[in-house]
Amino acid sequence: MMKLHTLLFGASLWFGISATGLAQLSVQDLQKSVQKVRQQEQQLNQQRLELEKKRHKIEAQITIIQNQAAFDQAVSAMKVQKPKKKRKLLIYSRTRGFRHDSIPYGVYTLTELGKRTGAYDAVSSEDPNVFLQPDFMEYDAVLMLSTTGNDVIPKGPAREAFQKFLAQKRGLVGIHAATDCHRDWDQYLTAMGGLFDGHPWNAHDVVTFYNEEPDHPICEHIKTGDTFRDEIYQYRDDQYFSRDNLRILLSLDLSGKNMKKPGMKRKDNDYPVSWIRKYQGSRVFYSTLGHNKATFHSVMALQHFLNGIQFAMGDLAADARPSSEVGNGKPQPLPEGF
């Protein structure tokens, strides 16, 4: 009895109520209090996320000002395929998981890239209702910009509209974390071609590229041995990532400097950087590049993105047969002593 009294007295000091008051509370009362606190936590978390997004936008404005000359120079160096008709691109960047601070800068540069080159007009949105609007089917391609988490495109009518879109020979572009979402949506993962499984190469790492298709129009400007600073993903060894379905364009050259990292999981040592494919008649381009803000004013990366977007829209002709059909069914062997 003494122990119970001591427990109640200690709890009363902790919760700021009298021992008599605590004894009179029911479990239901306490559970209601827990629920109320949880709701407050959710509200605060949502406020934090909104403030984070606001901060990212302000930081993007700073980046735009500081790197305007570099971006202008990059755009002026672009090689552009003349569009067959006026093109419209939807840039979708909703997140339900980790949010990259490069998103608003990426939205700005990819929008400006289309405007200044004349390749396309871009509309950006994070509202899933965009897929339910009557004009959604008028887009030539959807670009998923670092979308993370499940239900980025919600289950139900929005996903149905997205699948209908891809069935009408349109374009799908994935940048960076477009492979880190919709783990519960088989059609999306099949279309995109891979599922994020970690990033052994972090944002500060300089990686070396291997160009598997040196004459391919989407990546012919990139040479084997070229280096780049960005976070590089690896992909789960499953049915979604396969050289029997994807045309791998760039991969990592593991003979480059400091390329061996902890956390490399793939037994086949297949670490692609970008690929294309056909899915239900639609054209798909994906690149793991895009974690760092600097990626979006790099001549190398912007040209690669532009080529991939124009391929997805149908303006840049490119062979999308799987790698296994064109003699690249296996990754490069490991360098000696790796």
Side-chain angles (χ1 to χ4, degrees), residues 127-317:
D127 183 356
N129 287 318
V130 70
F131 299 103
L132 304 179
Q133 299 304 311
D135 63 348
F136 170 60
M137 293 298 168
E138 298 175 8
Y139 287 100
D140 296 285
V142 174
L143 188 152
M144 305 288 285
L145 178 59
S146 284
T147 44
T148 57
N150 287 332
D151 226 31
V152 170
I153 300 177
K155 298 180 182 69
R159 289 194 182 186
E160 293 168 9
F162 184 83
Q163 290 174 193
K164 182 180 178 182
F165 178 86
L166 292 182
Q168 295 185 5
K169 298 183 179 180
R170 302 301 174 86
L172 174 62
V173 177
I175 300 296
H176 196 52
T179 52
D180 189 20
C181 60
H182 297 137
R183 291 171 180 263
D184 60 346
W185 187 6
D186 178 74
Q187 291 90 338
Y188 177 87
L189 295 175
T190 301
M192 193 59 70
L195 180 60
F196 166 82
D197 196 24
H199 49 82
W201 301 271
N202 294 315
H204 64 276
D205 288 327
V206 175
V207 299
T208 304
F209 291 148
Y210 180 82
N211 190 335
E212 301 201 10
E213 300 281 351
D215 298 321
H216 200 281
I218 296 180
C219 60
E220 62 185 358
H221 65 293
I222 302 173
K223 308 302 180 186
T224 292
D226 282 348
T227 59
F228 200 80
R229 187 186 301 275
D230 209 342
E231 181 184 88
I232 306 298
Y233 287 176
Q234 64 184 344
Y235 304 94
R236 184 174 293 179
D237 189 358
D238 57 20
Q239 71 272 27
Y240 301 115
F241 175 79
S242 170
R243 286 176 176 256
D244 291 333
N245 300 323
L246 309 176
R247 182 68 167 268
I248 307 301
L249 302 177
L250 301 175
S251 57
L252 292 181
D253 184 352
L254 297 180
S255 67
K257 185 179 179 181
N258 296 325
M259 290 299 291
K260 188 173 183 178
K261 299 291 183 182
M264 296 171 68
K265 298 178 182 179
R266 293 192 63 97
K267 294 180 180 179
D268 59 5
N269 296 297
D270 201 351
Y271 298 104
V273 172
S274 64
W275 61 70
I276 59 174
R277 72 161 304 167
K278 289 288 186 70
Y279 175 77
Q280 294 184 349
S282 286
R283 297 163 297 273
V284 181
F285 165 76
Y286 171 76
S287 174
T288 189
L289 303 179
H291 177 92
N292 292 344
K293 293 177 186 176
T295 297
F296 292 97
H297 55 254
S298 158
V299 176
M300 180 191 293
L302 284 181
Q303 185 68 70
H304 194 43
F305 291 164
L306 179 61
N307 292 346
I309 292 169
Q310 290 208 283
F311 161 75
M313 289 184 161
D315 291 323
L316 180 63

Side-chain angles (χ1 to χ4, degrees), residues 37-101:
V37 172
R38 282 179 175 169
Q39 291 173 353
Q40 292 173 340
E41 287 177 334
Q42 291 173 354
Q43 291 171 357
L44 287 172
N45 189 52
Q46 185 60 40
Q47 291 175 10
R48 183 192 64 79
L49 292 174
E50 291 302 319
L51 286 172
E52 182 181 58
K53 289 172 66 174
K54 185 176 182 180
R55 174 172 59 81
H56 288 172
K57 287 182 179 180
I58 297 171
E59 290 173 344
Q61 292 172 343
I62 295 172
T63 305
I64 290 168
I65 294 171
Q66 291 178 333
N67 296 279
Q68 193 64 63
F71 178 66
D72 292 344
Q73 184 177 5
V75 174
S76 67
M78 293 295 102
K79 294 182 179 179
V80 189
Q81 188 73 23
K82 184 178 179 180
K84 296 177 182 178
K85 62 177 184 177
K86 193 173 181 65
R87 298 295 190 181
K88 191 175 178 182
L89 175 70
L90 172 63
I91 301 175
Y92 189 65
S93 55
R94 185 178 186 229
T95 54
R96 304 284 286 172
F98 178 82
R99 186 169 182 86
H100 289 77
D101 63 3

